[in-house]
Amino acid sequence: MAIRDMDVAAAVIGIRPMYAKLSAFAVSSFIVGMAGALWAFVHLGAWEPAAFSVEVSFRLLFMVIIGGLGSIMGGFFGAAFIVVLPIVLNQFLPALMGMFGIGISTAGVSHAELMIFGALIVWFLIVEPHGLAKLWSTAKQKLRLWPFPH
């Protein structure tokens, strides 16, 4: 925590900043490497270059942006949102368009999904850069004081 808050103060109290940063980098690299290996061989069954395309890379980036930059809870919220949104759009968008007498195909739903993702990315980057995690913490804080806002 001392390295995160102020390097100079950590060095004054006897913590070696270079060693602490390198060890944190090594531990996080090991964890991410193991996660990637498990994903490749347990989830996919075999590793091939086509398994990790540009689309998957962008989807991971969208998860981080929508969930919240710099928070662990945001990663969970972003992943859940990116997984649930296409399911919801595939179920409810044709029904919603049918109420207005407009037929929509599967390709139309996929294009609408891309447009909604793009609009959400721009909205979260401009309006709420801390994403769904910040909205969640704000809602929790407001509900904690709800009956009597001091």
Side-chain angles (χ1 to χ4, degrees), residues 64-66 69 118-131:
V64 171
I65 291 173
I66 289 176
L69 300 170
L120 284 173
I121 295 296
V122 170
W123 187 82
F124 274 109
L125 284 174
I126 292 173
V127 176
E128 187 58 60
H130 295 289

Side-chain angles (χ1 to χ4, degrees), residues 32-104:
V32 169
M34 291 304 294
L38 286 173
W39 176 73
F41 292 112
V42 173
H43 181 68
L44 296 177
W47 183 250
E48 61 181 352
F52 195 78
S53 63
V54 175
E55 180 183 343
V56 173
S57 179
F58 279 134
R59 191 166 286 245
L60 291 173
L61 178 68
F62 295 161
M63 286 178 191
V64 171
I65 291 173
I66 289 176
L69 300 170
S71 70
I72 295 173
M73 187 60 78
F76 289 117
F77 283 146
F81 189 81
I82 295 294
V83 168
V84 170
L85 184 65
I87 296 169
V88 170
L89 287 177
N90 284 332
Q91 296 297 321
F92 294 115
L93 195 59
L96 181 68
M97 298 303 274
M99 287 182 359
F100 295 110
I102 302 170
I104 188 167

